[in-house]
Amino acid sequence: MYYDELSPAFERFVEALDTKKVAVIGHARPDGDCIGSQVALSRVLRGQGFDTICVNQDPVPGKLRFLCGEEPFVRPELWKPGGHVSVCVDCADADRPGPLLKKRFPEVHANVDHHVSNRLFARQNFIDSSSAATAEILSGMFFDNDYPIDKIAAQALYVGIATDTGQFRFPATSQRVFEICGRLLHLGADPAVASNHLYERETMGKMRLLDAYLSSLKLECDGRVCVGVLPKDIFEKTGAEAGETEGLVDYARSIHGVDIGVIIEDRGNEIKGSLRAKDGRYRVNDLAALFNGGGHTCAAGFTVHMTMEVFYPKFLAALREQFRVVDAANYEGKDDGGRSGV
Ligand SMILES: [Mn+2]
């Protein structure tokens, strides 16, 4: 058994469903774990006799379309639920699917997620914050319950896990992750095909964006934080798309001595930020929460209505306070080494 408590509860949930129609809902600006989880859950439930559909506020990013097979993805403005049961994946709170979907599905029946900040907003919540990906939880529950996983679902689950572990590098990359991925490969998941689609198809716009981001990098907090800022007109200048900021922040974090990498998009009256820590004990989700955001202990984000002039000093003060608290806890030997959920 991978999930002693979640798997039997999930089977009871599936067996108790009184309708056969299920909408599998992902979050806004979907990533590999979100799309992978939706594709797999939709296919596996279909295999159990359900009529399923995937619903997202935003389109499936081009890089992830190879995962979808024939899986129907719809946008809420073009589709109305007809008595569908709603299941959210990879959503930490009820707002993550976006305003329109929140209105369409005021009551969410089930919620499968691995965010430590999950608000348990559904009727039934299948949450494990020790898991590296929602796709890991789904894989484990499918295996535990002997639900058949076809080749497309296996690839989708593999990609969800591979992307959310930073290609098997982040702290939540456990023995269970490798065991589950081994079984997914046995079922037809193909790491080479996946990485070709994900990492060998960059655009020139993305490279120019990377160039601009790297040029802006600056060390703060005695070299423990590295911040890069993208100005408002960067997308017109580089020809990059908004989604291509994904992964840039990893370069800031990768510097020797840096504990937290930061990317900030300065949108004039709005600041969008992403934080990536090398260690879970920095709890960047708590930092993001100060600015209206959330996430994992190692990876978090926020969007806040402020100008850069107002935001930046507040942000630096919050970082300094976080280091003060974390360093004091370490000194007293109270830290858990970041093992409590990434
Ligand atoms: Mn995820």
Side-chain angles (χ1 to χ4, degrees):
M1 277 287 255
Y2 296 111
Y3 294 96
D4 293 341
E5 283 171 29
L6 297 186
S7 292
F10 186 73
E11 181 160 48
R12 283 196 298 276
F13 166 75
V14 171
E15 281 173 358
L17 285 175
D18 47 12
T19 165
K20 285 280 163 194
K21 293 206 277 189
V22 179
V24 180
I25 299 168
H27 55 73
R29 290 189 63 182
D31 60 7
D33 189 26
C34 175
I35 298 297
S37 293
Q38 286 184 274
V39 168
L41 181 57
S42 176
R43 295 185 78 82
V44 167
L45 286 179
R46 191 171 304 122
Q48 296 296 311
F50 291 91
D51 173 8
T52 58
I53 189 158
C54 298
V55 197
N56 293 65
Q57 175 196 286
D58 297 318
V60 178
K63 271 188 176 181
L64 296 172
R65 276 185 214 128
F66 78 101
L67 286 183
C68 298
E70 306 281 283
E71 210 48 49
F73 271 82
V74 293
R75 312 271 290 277
E77 61 270 32
L78 303 170
W79 175 82
K80 274 197 166 58
H84 287 71
V85 163
S86 56
V87 181
C88 284
V89 294
D90 208 38
C91 294
D93 60 60
D95 292 320
R96 282 294 280 140
L100 194 49
L101 279 171
K102 193 184 175 187
K103 222 168 112 187
R104 283 283 164 80
F105 296 98
E107 190 179 26
V108 176
H109 294 80
N111 162 27
V112 185
D113 186 38
H114 66 124
H115 290 86
V116 66
S117 58
N118 195 287
R119 300 270 169 82
L120 311 178
F121 58 90
R123 265 204 234 167
Q124 293 202 51
N125 299 282
F126 302 92
I127 314 298
D128 180 54
S129 63
S130 79
S131 293
T134 297
E136 181 189 356
I137 302 174
L138 285 172
S139 305
M141 296 196 304
F142 298 158
F143 284 131
D144 286 344
N145 288 315
D146 290 323
Y147 292 157
I149 301 171
D150 70 5
K151 193 177 169 178
I152 291 171
Q155 179 76 324
L157 291 165
Y158 171 82
V159 166
I161 296 170
T163 52
D164 259 27
T165 54
Q167 301 174 67
F168 308 100
R169 292 177 298 127
F170 296 159
T173 311
S174 62
Q175 185 179 337
R176 181 178 61 203
V177 162
F178 283 104
E179 282 174 14
I180 283 175
C181 285
R183 292 181 69 176
L184 293 173
L185 260 64
H186 180 71
L187 294 173
D190 189 330
V193 168
S195 73
N196 183 281
H197 279 276
L198 294 169
Y199 306 114
E200 307 291 341
R201 298 181 186 215
E202 303 293 8
T203 63
M204 275 309 286
K206 165 82 185 255
M207 291 301 123
R208 289 189 206 102
L209 189 71
L210 173 61
D211 183 24
Y213 177 68
L214 294 179
S215 306
S216 78
L217 292 183
K218 189 162 85 168
L219 293 172
E220 301 280 10
C221 301
D222 301 319
R224 297 176 73 181
V225 178
C226 182
V227 185
V229 180
L230 296 175
K232 209 165 106 188
D233 58 353
I234 193 69
F235 297 107
E236 291 102 79
K237 263 197 188 147
T238 58
E241 285 171 30
E244 290 184 307
T245 56
E246 179 93 38
L248 294 185
V249 66
D250 297 337
Y251 289 95
R253 182 186 52 190
S254 72
I255 296 165
H256 182 57
V258 166
D259 294 316
I260 301 175
V262 182
I263 183 167
I264 289 168
E265 288 177 48
D266 179 358
R267 296 172 173 172
N269 289 321
E270 191 181 79
I271 301 289
K272 183 179 180 294
S274 287
L275 306 165
R276 295 289 183 275
K278 277 182 184 153
D279 193 309
R281 70 184 160 207
Y282 293 108
R283 297 192 187 281
V284 290
N285 55 312
D286 291 345
L287 274 167
L290 297 173
F291 299 95
N292 209 18
H296 306 282
T297 55
C298 275
F302 59 87
T303 302
V304 71
H305 291 275
M306 279 184 197
T307 62
M308 194 63 176
E309 290 69 34
V310 175
F311 165 77
Y312 204 69
K314 282 184 201 283
F315 180 60
L316 285 185
L319 280 164
R320 284 195 205 99
E321 175 60 14
Q322 190 79 347
F323 280 123
R324 197 188 63 72
V325 171
V326 171
D327 292 348
N330 279 351
Y331 185 71
E332 288 163 23
K334 280 184 192 160
D335 74 298
D336 64 358
R339 281 181 291 273
S340 71
V342 170

